[in-house]
Amino acid sequence: GMTIELHVSACGNDSWSGRLPSPQPPHVPVDGPVATLHRARDLLRESMQSNGSVIVNGSCGTILMNSTLRLDDLRDANTSWAGVDMAVLSGGAMLSGWAPDGSVPGAWSAPLPLGGKCNFRQLWINGGRRTRASGEFLWTSLLDPADPSAELNRDGFM
């Protein structure tokens, strides 16, 4: 049978078709990749085609996964999955609200999700593991003192 190729990207949207590798048209997109592996799987299942290919593109950033992707032999056996452009999947929670931490020169902090009621062992920023310092609601990561602002628009996950 025919093979369907679907694309997944952090700059995608699960209401799109997934048939295009990047959002189109670029300025006000109306179609492009889907945002989650779950949606790509479901679209392939709905298509009733015998073969499928899912390409996960990492150029727009980390693909967040808020639940386990469940595949089964009957419906998903003929689907191939591939990553391009350093595709990264993360089940971690994204940290936002980074601000300079006045208590330690060169350090930044961000509030923890779930009101601080979370247990984690690792802190990753821009694909690299960072040193974490504990506090009741804050974790800090020492940044490059030459350009700490470069980290502001980057991904942080725990």
Side-chain angles (χ1 to χ4, degrees):
M2 190 171 113
T3 298
I4 292 181
E5 182 176 280
L6 294 180
H7 301 269
V8 179
S9 171
C11 56
N13 183 320
D14 277 351
S15 68
W16 292 342
S17 72
R19 300 210 179 212
L20 301 173
S22 61
Q24 298 297 322
H27 299 294
V28 184
V30 295
D31 197 10
V34 294
T36 64
L37 297 176
H38 299 80
R39 182 64 180 146
R41 177 205 58 202
D42 294 346
L43 286 171
L44 286 173
R45 287 177 177 176
E46 293 165 11
S47 75
M48 304 301 287
Q49 296 297 324
S50 59
N51 296 308
S53 175
V54 177
I55 299 170
V56 182
N57 188 322
S59 64
C60 283
T62 299
I63 309 271
L64 297 178
M65 298 187 64
N66 58 9
S67 65
T68 302
L69 178 68
R70 299 192 186 283
L71 304 173
D72 65 56
D73 288 344
L74 181 63
R75 295 181 289 173
D76 305 310
N78 292 321
T79 299
S80 66
W81 300 80
V84 296
D85 291 332
M86 299 297 290
V88 175
L89 307 175
S90 174
M94 182 178 273
L95 298 175
S96 60
W98 289 94
D101 184 335
S103 64
V104 179
W108 292 70
S109 63
L112 289 175
L114 305 172
K117 297 182 187 317
C118 49
N119 182 11
F120 67 96
R121 294 188 180 108
Q122 298 180 18
L123 174 65
W124 292 79
I125 298 177
N126 305 326
R129 191 172 182 181
R130 297 298 172 103
T131 303
R132 58 191 183 124
S134 65
E136 187 173 342
F137 294 101
L138 300 175
W139 292 82
T140 58
S141 173
L142 295 177
L143 305 176
D144 178 0
D147 187 12
S149 64
E151 298 286 338
L152 285 177
N153 296 319
R154 307 243 178 115
D155 295 337
F157 298 93
M158 59 173 214

